Amino acid sequence: MVISGKVHLLFEQSGTFKRAFQKRGLHAEDYDILDDFGCTDNQVDLFAEIEAAYDNNSSIFDTFTQEDLLMAFFPCIYFCEDNMMVFSGTSRNYNNKSRKEVISYIIERNQKRAHFYDLIVKLFFVCESRG
């Protein structure tokens, strides 16, 4: 794979991947709403940017080109295998919780998961439609 443009690392604020690309002589930037490690190049609400791009409004995606590489470290905790324990009600986090508290938490988490799934599908569409 030849990367002739920039590398854009979404949802990545540690700089780990950015530095790896930079060591190979590539221009790499990271994007995240947080800057806990003090090295986020573009502090931006990526969820809002995805929504804006999906609705064909101005967004950071307007600056990306077909020559660029885009890597998204999308928040995965809602899609990992451990999430099934949360949905089954068997997570250790439920110790000392009433059954109603457990059910309420499962419902809330499912709603968040659906929201994040919508966002990642929109991100795929934005990238696909822009090449």
Side-chain angles (χ1 to χ4, degrees), residues 76-91:
C76 61
I77 62 168
Y78 292 93
F79 304 103
C80 66
E81 186 176 324
D82 289 345
N83 202 51
M84 293 315 298
M85 288 191 306
V86 172
F87 286 138
S88 69
T90 60
S91 173

Side-chain angles (χ1 to χ4, degrees), residues 58-97:
S58 178
S59 74
I60 62 165
F61 294 94
D62 298 338
T63 65
F64 301 166
T65 72
Q66 291 182 352
E67 288 78 33
D68 295 345
L69 173 66
L70 175 68
M71 293 180 68
F73 302 91
F74 201 83
C76 61
I77 62 168
Y78 292 93
F79 304 103
C80 66
E81 186 176 324
D82 289 345
N83 202 51
M84 293 315 298
M85 288 191 306
V86 172
F87 286 138
S88 69
T90 60
S91 173
R92 297 184 108 188
N93 292 341
Y94 297 144
N95 292 350
N96 303 318
K97 302 277 186 207

Side-chain angles (χ1 to χ4, degrees), residues 14-110:
S14 72
T16 302
F17 289 89
K18 173 178 63 178
R19 286 189 297 277
F21 281 108
Q22 289 171 339
K23 283 181 184 176
R24 286 158 181 77
L26 296 167
H27 180 96
E29 295 182 20
D30 45 20
Y31 303 74
D32 201 290
I33 196 167
L34 300 174
D35 188 21
D36 293 346
F37 300 94
C39 62
T40 303
D41 297 313
N42 301 284
Q43 199 166 352
V44 60
D45 181 348
L46 289 166
F47 295 141
E49 295 296 316
I50 292 168
E51 293 284 6
Y54 182 78
D55 292 336
N56 213 26
N57 294 321
S58 178
S59 74
I60 62 165
F61 294 94
D62 298 338
T63 65
F64 301 166
T65 72
Q66 291 182 352
E67 288 78 33
D68 295 345
L69 173 66
L70 175 68
M71 293 180 68
F73 302 91
F74 201 83
C76 61
I77 62 168
Y78 292 93
F79 304 103
C80 66
E81 186 176 324
D82 289 345
N83 202 51
M84 293 315 298
M85 288 191 306
V86 172
F87 286 138
S88 69
T90 60
S91 173
R92 297 184 108 188
N93 292 341
Y94 297 144
N95 292 350
N96 303 318
K97 302 277 186 207
S98 73
R99 190 64 182 153
K100 185 162 186 171
E101 288 174 312
V102 170
I103 297 302
S104 295
Y105 180 76
I106 291 170
I107 291 168
E108 177 186 346
R109 187 163 179 105
N110 186 55

